[in-house]
Amino acid sequence: MEPRGPPLHRPRTPPLAKKLFIKTYGCQMNVYDSERMTDLLAPIGYAVADRPEAADLVILNTCHIREKASEKVYSELGRLRRLKDQRRTKGGNLTLAVAGCVAQADGAEMRRRAPYVDIVMGPQAYHRLPEYVARAERAAAGPAGQAGVGILDTEFPVESKFDHLPAPTRQAAVSTFVSIQEGCDKFCTFCVVPYTRGAEFSRPLQQIVDETRRRVDNGAREVTLLGQNVNAYHGAALDGDANLAELIDALADIDGLARIRYTTSHPRDMDADLIAAHGSCAKLMPFLHLPVQSGSDRILAAMNRQHTAADYHRIVGALRDARPDLALSSDFIVGYPGETDADFEATLDLVRTTVFAQAYSFKYSARPGTPAAALQDQVPEAAKDERLQALQALLNEQQRAASQAIVGRTTEVLLERPGRHQGQLVGRTMWNQPVQANLPPSYQGSLAKLHIDACAANSLDASLPDTTDMRACA
Ligand code: SAH
Ligand code: SF4
Ligand code: F3S
């Protein structure tokens, strides 16, 4: 045997451990995007830090949907500026990046208001993050005193970011998100999304199946398919475009994947195939977030929602025919310009007749550049407050009733992660209600039949059923 010579290649020195902190605002699509940014930055040496003070790079992944959401970003940036200054005085550096929908909508303005931010990039450009971070690091190592590197990318690139994201390799959460569709072409008159996320675009079916399968291999049991208008999905497949029902069908074949959900849907795109899937696909959970915004036909038309209250009732009726135990959730806006007491009453009527298990409601917030912001008849703040209170009282009552209805029953819960207290796991029922239970850690990631003992403030208390219950549910 020949004597061993020196290795031909010296082992590569591992990249220096650097730390990354991402603060995420807004919707679940931003949560997904933040995870993908983490995946993108791992190969250039970034590991996750638990607070900005421990990080070399801080990214704010922002939301522009309401004024409050946007303003939060600027106050957070003020704090980070002080942290960056402190680092500099000690000869160190903190790279600051703003991603997401405020970056997209406000990019140039942000360069003026917060010139110390190094990277400003929109939601469709973040696959270029490693290149931008490397540039910012090089600039920081150069002559001192530079305010910010000044990278601004708010293009809607022709290439899809999804074609440039690394395959997920980290341990997946038990309940994971996969974005399947981006942007929106609906142009509701109050909404910034078509401007911040761009034109509607669907990922190819196989790309989604592959990503979901990988996440299942890495520990996921539930997937929530994401898009701002997810039921408009029409991704390329082998035999032409696939709709959301066909995608759900393909995903249901993945062994080990127990639950499928999707959010958020527009009533206009709730087609017959998708409604039927709620009756035929056992892995599709009996829960649907179907925003309606208002119960007044006049306001729905002014919002450009392209459906009436009667259409909404008809769709909900068909869904409940397909899946009688379907739990519904929705979004509401009160105080849209020109909304009268009678319009608001129509919203309360729609809530009373539909019955929601969960809901989100907001005061209308005028967003720059949207058609509704230019309308003259803005509703006074006091009237918006009053309407929001009345609506939330009704919605809370319905939500409590929905939770109360399963107390005393034994039902399947997917146990997702440890709870806040020692020995506790938290999970969700099929109907998306949060559950907490004292169980050994080995239950994490499993579907367990649990007895729902009580309805607490924000979740249900559950426990393993005693043997009598076990027999009852077998
Ligand atoms: N794509 C979803 C909603 C996306 S935004 C849909 O079509 O319904 C999430 C929610 O934020 C909306 O449903 C709406 O209720 C609320 N929202 C959007 N713009 C708003 C605004 N300008 N003021 C108040 N709430 C708003
Ligand atoms: Fe915004 Fe949803 Fe309307 Fe699209 S469908 S414009 S995301 S509210
Ligand atoms: Fe907000 Fe953008 Fe999502 S505006 S709600 S982060 S798509």
Side-chain angles (χ1 to χ4, degrees):
M1 207 163 117
E2 276 186 66
R4 274 214 200 148
L8 286 177
H9 304 287
R10 286 180 0 139
R12 259 207 294 161
T13 30
L16 275 181
K18 290 172 286 189
K19 288 288 176 73
L20 153 76
F21 180 82
I22 307 187
K23 185 158 181 174
T24 307
Y25 302 82
C27 65
Q28 289 154 330
M29 303 192 67
N30 264 11
V31 175
Y32 173 85
D33 289 342
S34 293
E35 281 176 13
R36 306 321 312 274
M37 288 186 220
T38 307
D39 290 341
L40 276 163
L41 291 169
I44 63 162
Y46 278 93
V48 175
D50 60 354
R51 62 209 152 87
E53 291 74 16
D56 305 281
L57 164 64
V58 173
I59 303 175
L60 302 183
N61 193 10
T62 60
C63 173
H64 197 53
I65 203 82
R66 284 169 291 276
E67 191 181 352
K68 258 195 201 148
S70 285
E71 278 309 314
K72 271 188 207 159
V73 175
Y74 285 101
S75 51
E76 186 65 32
L77 278 176
R79 276 193 289 278
L80 291 170
R81 175 195 202 159
R82 286 191 287 282
L83 192 60
K84 190 175 172 113
D85 287 345
Q86 282 165 14
R87 279 291 164 86
R88 280 241 183 89
T89 54
K90 290 182 193 154
N93 181 47
L94 173 66
T95 305
L96 283 184
V98 180
C101 291
V102 179
Q104 184 66 43
D106 242 12
E109 171 68 11
M110 185 170 285
R111 298 281 324 120
R112 274 192 296 279
R113 250 178 105 173
Y116 50 88
V117 173
D118 298 291
I119 304 164
V120 176
M121 66 189 172
Q124 308 306 351
Y126 69 76
H127 53 292
R128 298 171 180 159
L129 189 55
E131 175 197 328
Y132 294 154
V133 169
R135 232 160 86 191
E137 285 172 346
R138 278 197 303 275
Q146 199 172 359
V149 180
I151 299 168
L152 174 67
D153 186 350
T154 49
E155 262 179 62
F156 289 119
V158 275
E159 85 269 14
S160 152
K161 68 183 174 198
F162 295 108
D163 297 338
H164 298 269
L165 298 177
T169 51
R170 289 178 296 138
Q171 176 73 26
V174 171
S175 177
T176 192
F177 294 136
V178 175
S179 281
I180 66 164
Q181 181 261 351
E182 276 279 345
C184 182
D185 290 343
K186 289 283 189 295
F187 290 94
C188 301
T189 52
F190 53 82
C191 182
V192 292
V193 172
Y195 313 98
T196 62
R197 292 261 167 185
E200 194 183 306
F201 158 81
S202 292
R203 293 177 74 183
L205 178 135
Q206 197 54 45
Q207 202 182 59
I208 298 164
V209 172
D210 290 346
E211 183 174 332
T212 310
R213 186 172 284 125
R214 258 184 183 269
R215 286 181 193 272
V216 171
D217 291 345
N218 296 342
R221 303 289 320 271
E222 171 176 284
V223 67
T224 302
L225 308 174
L226 299 179
Q228 273 304 358
N229 193 181
V230 75
N231 55 346
Y233 176 81
H234 54 96
L238 281 181
D239 43 1
D241 274 7
N243 62 20
L244 183 56
E246 288 162 322
L247 173 64
I248 289 170
D249 230 28
L251 293 171
D253 285 341
I254 298 178
D255 284 339
L257 180 66
R259 290 179 164 191
I260 303 172
R261 302 180 188 276
Y262 61 94
T263 198
T264 163
S265 294
H266 194 292
R268 282 273 298 189
D269 295 313
M270 217 55 229
D271 63 34
D273 280 2
L274 189 54
I275 293 174
H278 278 275
S280 61
C281 178
K283 290 188 180 182
L284 184 58
M285 291 296 99
F287 175 85
L288 179 63
H289 182 63
L290 191 61
V292 63
Q293 318 297 356
S294 170
S296 153
D297 287 346
R298 210 177 61 83
I299 296 296
L300 286 169
M303 287 175 162
N304 189 31
R305 292 291 290 182
Q306 302 170 48
H307 67 83
T308 61
D311 293 332
Y312 191 80
H313 285 306
R314 191 176 39 75
I315 294 161
V316 168
L319 279 159
R320 285 183 168 149
D321 285 346
R323 182 77 203 224
D325 66 340
L326 186 87
L328 269 183
S329 157
S330 201
D331 289 342
F332 297 88
I333 294 178
V334 299
Y336 181 84
E339 186 188 70
T340 61
D341 285 342
D343 293 318
F344 177 63
E345 269 307 316
T347 299
L348 293 179
D349 272 350
L350 180 137
V351 173
R352 283 188 204 104
T353 45
T354 309
V355 182
F356 295 95
Q358 196 184 306
Y360 303 90
S361 42
F362 313 97
K363 288 192 280 183
Y364 168 72
S365 166
R367 308 306 292 127
T370 59
L375 296 175
Q376 293 304 310
D377 41 358
Q378 300 287 328
V379 173
E381 209 52 27
K384 285 190 203 169
D385 281 331
E386 212 172 290
R387 288 176 193 168
L388 188 66
Q389 255 186 30
L391 176 61
Q392 289 186 339
L394 178 58
L395 290 168
N396 287 343
E397 199 181 296
Q398 293 190 345
Q399 179 167 350
R400 262 196 310 276
S403 301
Q404 202 61 50
I406 68 161
V407 172
R409 284 173 59 184
T410 295
T411 190
E412 197 176 78
V413 175
L414 177 61
L415 293 154
E416 295 173 22
R417 57 198 153 77
R420 242 186 282 154
H421 304 295
Q422 182 80 19
Q424 194 183 59
L425 290 178
V426 294
R428 284 181 188 269
T429 65
M430 289 195 288
W431 305 281
N432 211 34
Q433 294 143 310
V435 172
Q436 53 189 31
N438 290 324
L439 288 170
S442 56
Y443 274 82
Q444 186 174 333
S446 69
L447 282 166
K449 291 248 170 175
L450 295 184
H451 181 267
I452 308 295
D453 303 321
C455 172
N458 296 313
S459 72
L460 299 164
D461 290 333
S463 57
L464 286 172
D466 64 27
T467 39
T468 358
D469 277 343
M470 291 275 259
R471 255 180 277 126
C473 100

